[in-house]
Amino acid sequence: MNPLDLLRDDLEVVDLAQPLQVGMPTSPTHPAFDFALRQRHGDVARADGMTGSHEVMVLGGHVGTHVDALSHVAVDGLLHGGVPVADAVEAGRYRTHGIDQVPPLLRRGVLVDVPRARGVTRLAPGEPVGVADLQAAPEPRPGDVVLVRTGWAQLWPDPPAYVGGPDGVPGVDAEAARWLAERGVAAVGADTIALEHIPAGGGLSALPVHRILLHEAGINLIEVMALEMLSESLAAHGTGEFLFVGAPLNVRGATGAPIRPLAVIGS
């Protein structure tokens, strides 16, 4: 089949990435995004009148919409598959389990739209997403990308609220993570910074879902996603399935990198 045959006028493409901008919500454990024009139009002028402008950007690999590589988490000094951290690091980079080893994702996508299923605008702080919530969505198959909407992206313009405070942040709980791992999905994404359930008063002191999915199951995580428009579009089409397209930046040996994922929806 010619891949160009898939291009149709009735396809809708939804951007699932939050914009990278100075002052955006950032986890307190990661460096913030910074941006500045390095050269402005007019700083250097050519004889023909044409000028150029460019910028410098500084950000951590886990800032904005990004993918967690398997090297992001270790337990007792071991990465996924029992690889010692000491053996995986070479010249300050991960020669195994890095983000450069995450292949481009062209997969069936499934949206677990928890607020829509529960009839609320968004989940409350510290509210878990459990197995019953996952079972209310289309059944994930091996190799799928499963995205979990909590409605938390509505708080994106308010960084302190989006990052979350002592009341916690909604997200996937440990039992739901094991349920997804058992189904062999390729990646799990969500619209919060940590993806997983952060209970009231819990902070980031324990991240069991990261341990289950990244370390034990070898499943990549996609965090800080924009899922509000996807929710509306899929509801209008009467489906919870779509084509997921995305690839993290190919940064050699990194533990994470930005991604601009897309959802392609057909009528």
Side-chain angles (χ1 to χ4, degrees), residues 121 136 159-160 167 181 200 234 247:
T121 301
D167 293 334
L234 290 178

Side-chain angles (χ1 to χ4, degrees), residues 144-233:
D144 283 354
V145 173
V146 177
L147 307 183
V148 179
R149 175 179 172 257
T150 67
W152 211 244
Q154 298 163 18
L155 300 175
W156 180 256
D158 185 348
Y162 183 84
V163 171
D167 293 334
V169 178
V172 177
D173 67 18
E175 288 187 10
R178 291 191 184 93
W179 189 89
L180 289 167
E182 290 169 358
R183 278 143 187 82
V185 301
V188 179
D191 53 3
T192 64
I193 280 184
L195 183 140
E196 64 180 271
H197 173 226
I198 305 298
L204 300 176
S205 59
L207 297 172
V209 171
H210 278 62
R211 178 171 182 154
I212 293 166
L213 294 179
L214 285 170
H215 185 266
E216 297 178 9
I219 296 172
N220 296 104
L221 307 184
I222 310 172
E223 297 165 325
V224 194
M225 302 190 76
L227 300 179
E228 295 302 291
M229 187 177 296
L230 180 62
S231 170
E232 295 297 326
S233 296

Side-chain angles (χ1 to χ4, degrees), residues 75-124:
V75 177
D76 297 328
L78 301 176
L79 299 175
H80 170 68
V83 177
V85 170
D87 295 343
V89 177
E90 183 177 356
R93 291 162 177 78
Y94 287 92
R95 61 184 181 86
T96 67
H97 296 61
I99 199 69
D100 52 298
Q101 297 176 20
V102 177
L105 293 167
L106 184 65
R107 306 274 184 157
R108 173 180 180 254
V110 171
L111 179 66
V112 182
D113 199 339
V114 187
R116 189 174 294 275
R118 294 188 186 180
V120 298
T121 301
R122 65 173 176 267
L123 300 189

